[in-house]
Amino acid sequence: KKILTFIVVVLAACISAKAQQEDYAKFTITKAIVDGYDHSARYRADGAYLVFYKSDSNEFCMANVWPKSDTQSYGVITDWKEYNYKETASEYATDVFKFNWHFENSYDDKKGVAACRLIKIYKPSGVVYEYEYVLSNGSTAQFSGYMQGTMKF
C-alpha cells in the first residue's frame, strides 16, 4: 500500500510540473542539416521538434526534443529580438526572431550558448519555418519544417 501511495504521489507531481509549463509553439523538424551533413531522416524518424515555452519559474525557454529517444536539449532564451515583414508581390510575410539560447543536454553533461535565428514564413498552406544556430565552437545546424501554435508571447 505504501508503494502504491508513493507511485501516485510521484505521478501527481510529474503531472503538476508538466501542467506548469506553458507551451507557445511547436516546430516539427522535417529537414535537418548539422555541420553540413543531412540528418533529416534521423530527425523525422525520431519525431524531433523545437518547442518554445514558459518554464514553471516564468522564464522564456526553448527545447530541441527527440521524443522516441526520450532526450532533449533545453534552456533559457535571452537577448530576444523580433522583426516583422509584410507580404509583398514577390515575398510571403515573415517574422524573424534572433536570440541566444543557453542550453544543456539531457543525454550528456554538455552545456553552452547558441546564437539562433528563427524565420516564420506565412504561406497560404500554413506557417513554415527556417531555423539555424551557431555554437561557440563553430558547430552549426539548420532546421526547417512546419509550425503548430501561435508564438504570441
Side-chain angles (χ1 to χ4, degrees):
K1 186 172 178 176
K2 287 183 181 182
I3 292 174
L4 181 59
T5 302
F6 175 75
I7 291 171
V8 169
V9 169
V10 169
L11 285 174
C14 290
I15 291 168
S16 174
K18 176 61 181 161
Q20 292 174 358
Q21 177 180 310
E22 181 182 351
D23 291 353
Y24 291 115
K26 176 181 174 182
F27 294 85
T28 299
I29 300 170
T30 58
K31 184 174 181 183
I33 308 297
V34 180
D35 292 326
Y37 296 97
D38 189 344
H39 294 277
S40 301
R42 195 172 106 206
Y43 276 70
R44 285 191 306 266
D46 205 295
Y49 61 89
L50 303 173
V51 63
F52 288 82
Y53 62 95
K54 187 190 302 183
S55 71
D56 56 357
S57 59
N58 209 32
E59 294 178 298
F60 185 41
C61 301
M62 186 185 83
N64 179 355
V65 181
W66 292 57
K68 291 182 182 171
S69 300
D70 194 28
T71 63
Q72 64 178 307
S73 301
Y74 58 93
V76 175
I77 291 173
T78 61
D79 304 314
W80 182 265
K81 294 180 179 76
E82 182 175 341
Y83 308 91
N84 308 103
Y85 302 95
K86 294 183 182 201
E87 183 174 8
T88 67
S90 60
E91 299 286 332
Y92 295 112
T94 59
D95 295 328
V96 177
F97 307 96
K98 295 181 179 181
F99 54 93
N100 289 323
W101 180 42
H102 303 262
F103 69 91
E104 58 185 276
N105 299 329
S106 67
Y107 50 89
D108 63 21
D109 61 353
K110 290 185 181 174
K111 297 179 180 184
V113 179
C116 305
R117 182 179 68 170
L118 172 71
I119 303 171
K120 286 176 34 186
I121 305 160
Y122 296 89
K123 292 187 173 185
S125 59
V127 179
V128 297
Y129 77 94
E130 297 172 1
Y131 168 84
E132 66 182 353
Y133 71 71
V134 178
L135 300 179
S136 57
N137 67 4
S139 181
T140 63
Q142 295 87 35
F143 303 147
S144 60
Y146 60 92
M147 178 186 145
Q148 297 168 289
T150 64
M151 283 285 283
K152 299 292 183 196
F153 311 119

